[in-house]
Amino acid sequence: MFDDAAARRYLAGLAPAAPGSVRWLIYDQARQWVSVIDTELAALRRDCAHVLSTLPEEDPDASLAAAIREFLAAGADRAPHVIALSCAVLMQGTGDREAVFTRVQSGVMATLVESEAVVVRPVAA
């Protein structure tokens, strides 16, 4: 189970994300693996738009969750793909691109890959 308090303590010890970047935490419950990635906001916007343009019409949420799991299985160097897919998960929930990016910029986001679901949300304050 993901521990927000432990994540906040860990994140507090890191240098802040660079200007124009956002910080994303990826947690894979099956592997007990955590990664923290800083990504440029402009690149994330482009990557998220690309992912959204390629989603299947039938069950896009399941498709996104499956793709996130596949990229995680491929290795840590695929983390930028996981972040773009996670952004698309948020877009599927709201449909409002600007609201999603306002949320992404408001704090550290987390992609939590658990046995039952893939959840994308902010790290709790």
Side-chain angles (χ1 to χ4, degrees):
M1 170 158 264
F2 183 74
D3 183 344
D4 283 281
R8 284 192 313 277
R9 286 191 300 274
Y10 175 76
L11 292 165
L14 300 177
S21 294
V22 294
R23 181 158 284 164
W24 212 286
L25 183 144
I26 302 169
Y27 170 73
D28 184 345
Q29 182 181 30
R31 293 175 188 80
Q32 293 296 301
W33 177 79
V34 175
S35 182
V36 177
I37 307 293
D38 292 344
T39 189
E40 184 182 281
L41 186 59
L44 179 58
R45 283 181 177 271
R46 281 191 309 274
D47 294 346
C48 184
H50 174 73
V51 169
L52 289 168
S53 72
T54 62
L55 278 179
E57 288 185 28
E58 190 173 311
D59 206 0
D61 292 335
S63 175
L64 288 168
I68 287 171
R69 290 178 193 282
E70 286 176 32
F71 278 117
L72 281 177
D77 61 326
R78 303 293 186 177
H81 300 290
V82 172
I83 294 169
L85 291 162
S86 299
C87 179
V89 168
L90 292 173
M91 286 294 297
Q92 286 296 110
T94 68
D96 183 343
R97 184 175 308 218
E98 290 312 309
V100 165
F101 282 99
T102 297
R103 185 176 182 194
V104 165
Q105 293 175 77
S106 69
V108 178
M109 294 299 293
T111 300
L112 312 174
V113 181
E114 300 170 343
S115 57
E116 309 82 39
V118 173
V119 177
V120 180
R121 63 169 177 80
V123 174

